[in-house]
Amino acid sequence: MKYSGIFDKIFKCQGLKISQFMIKVIIILLSIALGCITAFLGFNNFELIYKVLIAIAFSILFIIGIAVLFFIILFILTIGESKNKEREKQSKFYRSVLLFYNKFLFSLFSMKIEYSGIERFDGIEQALIISNHRSNLDSLVIDNYLKDYPLVFVAKKSLFKIPFVGRLIHGCNYICLDRKNLKQELLAIRKGINILNDKSEKCSVGVFPEGTRILNEDYSLAEFRPGCFNLAKKSHVPIVIFALKNTDKVNNGLLIKIHHIKCHLIKVLYYDDYKDLNTIELANLSKEIIGQYLKEEI
């Protein structure tokens, strides 16, 4: 079942396709225009060279101001979402907000993302999405790739404590995972299984089997935790295997350097492919598939 977000519908109705590049261009042009207006109207008695310098300074300030304003608006949009109330369904509104927020971040951080392998997702309505884990941006990159499909991620508890981010991902029905609390971890797994067994919403679940970010230069993987594969074993959905590269490099030259990210859908394991494997064998197989792909890419 394909998903169409509220913001996507608005842009489609207006015949617009808002790309990351367009967002950056709009922000820069608007900031330059405001900077010039401020310099040439507010400092009318200054010499031209000083007006130009003032215009540049104010343009930079307006870029920063627009970025700050965006996060303030995001905070306001999510302030009505209560994290104390358990969600059963994903809010299409908050998913739209999240996807638009993704585009803004990708533009702000100059992320050029190369996607491939999406044809392997054709015909799949629900799946367990897995990938290697390099950065806090990983789920955003995959979510943007599968933007046409309902998708929630298993997220660590600390992310839900971030003021507006916590409310936003709660509204998207992300699954809170606290590995220090066994009971809560079991409840998180149960919630993921329930989502995958719900055929009315046809929502997929994303998880990073390594459990934490692994930043090895050779892209070697940590052991995959077998427990998360119970989500597939108990729901019989396909396991869609992704590999991510360079998401951890975004912090290098932040805001000034173009970062080339790769997101590749490597393989789909259907239930008949893995039904005779236990979760440990399935974890090892998935790790081998991702590891082999990354080894060939390096």
Side-chain angles (χ1 to χ4, degrees), residues 65 102 115 127 175-176 232 269 283 295:
N102 290 353
Y115 291 113
I175 302 168
C176 180
L269 297 177
K295 184 178 180 180

Side-chain angles (χ1 to χ4, degrees), residues 206-219:
V207 63
F208 299 103
E210 290 170 289
T212 188
R213 289 169 292 162
I214 305 298
L215 303 178
N216 299 331
E217 289 298 325
D218 62 354
Y219 276 83

Side-chain angles (χ1 to χ4, degrees), residues 25-36:
V25 169
I26 290 170
I27 291 174
I28 291 174
L29 291 179
L30 179 61
S31 299
I32 291 174
L34 292 173
C36 290

Side-chain angles (χ1 to χ4, degrees), residues 3 77-99 143 151-153 155 159-160 162-176 191 195 201 203:
Y3 169 88
L77 287 174
T78 59
I79 201 167
E81 178 69 14
S82 173
K83 292 187 288 184
N84 296 323
K85 185 178 180 181
E86 184 67 23
R87 267 196 172 273
E88 295 182 359
K89 306 290 183 183
Q90 181 179 81
S91 164
K92 290 185 177 181
F93 171 75
Y94 284 124
R95 178 77 190 286
S96 294
V97 173
L98 178 63
L99 292 173
D143 205 6
L151 172 62
V152 305
F153 273 89
L159 292 178
F160 287 85
I162 302 174
F164 58 85
V165 172
R167 290 194 178 96
L168 179 58
I169 62 178
H170 183 272
C172 291
N173 202 28
Y174 274 34
I175 302 168
C176 180
K191 180 175 180 178
I195 289 174
E201 290 294 305
C203 186

Side-chain angles (χ1 to χ4, degrees), residues 133-183:
H133 198 15
R134 305 283 298 182
S135 163
N136 285 329
L137 297 170
D138 292 343
S139 63
L140 304 184
V141 172
I142 295 175
D143 205 6
N144 187 65
Y145 194 21
L146 300 178
K147 62 183 180 298
D148 292 329
Y149 304 89
L151 172 62
V152 305
F153 273 89
V154 177
K156 57 186 179 182
K157 185 179 179 180
S158 59
L159 292 178
F160 287 85
K161 295 180 179 180
I162 302 174
F164 58 85
V165 172
R167 290 194 178 96
L168 179 58
I169 62 178
H170 183 272
C172 291
N173 202 28
Y174 274 34
I175 302 168
C176 180
L177 180 64
D178 183 3
R179 294 197 181 278
K180 296 180 180 179
N181 186 326
L182 179 59
K183 180 180 179 181

